C-alpha cells in the first residue's frame, strides 16, 4: 500500500460539473502539495498547504491534518482542466523536503 | 524566461552508454531535486540537494550520480545505462525544503 493514496484513479466529467479528487496519506507531513501534469508532460504546482483551505480561481484545496486527508475541488470544470492531478506529501521530521507522490488521478472533461 | 530548464528534452541512447541531463534554475532557490517518472506515470524522488549539499539519496543505483557545481545547477549523470532506466526524469527546485516546488519540463530518456 502506498504511503499516499489518491482516488479515484480515473475520472470523467461533463463540462460544468463539480469535481473532487481525494488524497489520503499515512506519513507525517510538513505540507501537502497538489500538482497538475498536462498531456504534454509538464508538471505545475497548484497548491501547497499545511492546514485549512486554499483557493485559486476555480480550484480549491482542503486538508484535514487529523484525518490525514486532502481534497482538490474544481468548480465549473472545463475541457482544459483535463490532466493528471497528483498529490504529494512533503515529509516532516528528519526527511523533510522529501516528496512522496500519489499515483495520480487522470481527469477527462468532455465538452 | 524559463524558471527551471532541463536539457535535453529527449534522449535516446544504447544500453551501456553514459549520459548526462542538465538542469538549471534562475529562481535563486536553495534546494534542487531529481525525480523519476516511470511508465505508469508514478513519480519518485531520487535526489535532493540543498545549497550544493546532498540531502536525500533514495536508494538509487550508484550508476546515477548527481552533481551540483553551484546552487543554480543540478546535473544528473548516468553510467552504464540499462533498459530499466527508460523513464521521464524531472528536475525541480524550491526556495527551501518546505516550500512550493517548480518543475522543469522533463527529459524523456529511452534506452534501446
Amino acid at each position: 500500500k502506498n504511503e499516499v493514496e489518491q482516488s479515484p484513479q480515473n475520472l470523467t466529467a461533463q463540462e460544468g460539473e463539480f469535481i473532487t479528487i481525494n488524497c489520503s496519506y499515512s506519513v507525517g507531513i510538513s505540507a501537502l502539495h497538489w500538482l497538475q501534469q498536462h498531456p504534454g508532460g509538464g508538471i505545475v504546482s497548484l497548491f501547497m498547504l499545511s492546514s485549512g483551505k486554499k483557493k485559486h480561481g476555480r480550484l480549491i484545496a482542503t486538508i484535514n491534518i487529523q484525518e490525514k486527508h486532502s481534497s482538490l475541488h474544481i468548480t465549473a470544470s472545463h475541457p482544459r482542466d483535463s490532466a493528471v492531478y497528483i498529490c504529494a506529501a512533503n515529509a516532516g521530521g528528519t526527511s523533510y523536503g522529501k516528496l512522496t507522490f500519489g499515483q495520480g488521478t487522470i481527469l477527462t472533461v468532455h465538452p | 524566461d524559463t524558471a527551471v530548464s532541463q536539457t535535453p528534452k529527449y534522449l535516446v541512447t544504447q544500453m551501456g552508454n553514459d549520459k548526462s541531463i542538465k538542469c538549471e534554475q534562475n529562481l535563486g532557490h536553495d534546494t534542487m531535486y531529481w525525480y523519476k517518472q516511470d511508465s505508469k506515470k508514478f513519480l519518485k524522488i531520487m535526489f535532493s540537494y540543498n545549497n550544493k549539499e546532498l540531502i536525500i539519496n533514495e536508494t538509487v543505483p550508484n550508476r546515477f550520480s548527481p552533481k551540483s557545481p553551484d546552487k543554480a545547477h543540478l546535473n544528473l549523470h548516468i553510467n552504464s545505462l540499462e533498459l530499466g532506466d527508460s523513464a521521464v526524469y524531472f528536475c525541480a527546485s524550491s526556495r527551501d525544503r518546505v516550500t512550493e516546488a517548480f518543475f522543469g519540463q522533463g527529459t524523456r530518456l529511452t534506452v534501446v
Side-chain angles (χ1 to χ4, degrees):
Chain A
K1 192 178 190 309
N2 286 342
E3 292 175 314
V4 179
E5 289 280 347
Q6 287 182 236
S7 63
Q9 291 190 28
N10 286 281
L11 183 54
T12 301
Q14 288 299 125
E15 184 172 355
E17 286 184 359
F18 180 83
I19 287 161
T20 296
I21 300 170
N22 295 298
C23 176
S24 296
Y25 54 92
S26 57
V27 294
I29 66 166
S30 60
L32 193 288
H33 298 250
W34 281 100
L35 310 171
Q36 181 192 57
Q37 185 170 27
H38 271 284
I43 296 174
V44 175
S45 176
L46 298 175
F47 294 104
M48 188 193 74
L49 64 166
S50 53
S51 65
K53 175 180 172 179
K54 286 189 176 180
K55 185 175 189 289
H56 184 248
R58 294 180 294 106
L59 274 58
I60 303 166
T62 64
I63 189 167
N64 184 318
I65 297 294
Q66 286 74 29
E67 295 186 4
K68 294 190 173 181
H69 181 269
S70 176
S71 293
L72 177 69
H73 306 285
I74 305 175
T75 60
S77 59
H78 190 275
R80 65 174 174 265
D81 297 325
S82 298
V84 178
Y85 292 84
I86 304 166
C87 71
N90 191 336
T94 56
S95 296
Y96 82 97
K98 174 185 170 183
L99 284 183
T100 302
F101 296 87
Q103 71 274 41
T105 295
I106 302 171
L107 172 64
T108 305
V109 182
H110 293 293
Chain B
D1 197 19
T2 306
V4 182
S5 60
Q6 295 178 227
T7 53
K9 189 170 181 181
Y10 299 97
L11 183 54
V12 181
T13 188
Q14 290 188 322
M15 273 197 317
N17 283 351
D18 303 336
K19 289 293 179 185
S20 295
I21 306 171
K22 295 187 177 181
C23 179
E24 176 181 6
Q25 54 96 1
N26 62 6
L27 298 166
H29 287 167
D30 286 343
T31 308
M32 295 186 73
Y33 312 83
W34 277 108
Y35 296 97
K36 180 180 180 180
Q37 187 173 45
D38 62 22
S39 57
K40 295 183 179 176
K41 300 282 193 179
F42 190 70
L43 278 159
K44 194 167 183 182
I45 191 166
M46 299 174 69
F47 301 103
S48 165
Y49 268 72
N50 190 57
N51 276 320
K52 303 196 312 178
E53 182 184 346
L54 180 66
I55 301 297
I56 295 171
N57 180 343
E58 280 290 301
T59 59
V60 177
N62 57 16
R63 297 182 296 103
F64 291 78
S65 55
K67 286 185 172 55
S68 182
D70 55 57
K71 268 183 16 175
H73 296 83
L74 181 62
N75 304 321
L76 184 65
H77 302 275
I78 316 170
N79 295 325
S80 303
L81 278 154
E82 300 178 356
L83 294 175
D85 298 331
S86 296
V88 181
Y89 293 84
F90 285 95
C91 175
S93 74
S94 61
R95 182 165 47 85
D96 54 44
R97 283 177 272 179
V98 292
T99 51
E100 179 185 15
F102 292 79
F103 286 78
Q105 78 275 30
T107 295
R108 182 175 295 278
L109 171 65
T110 304
V111 183
V112 296

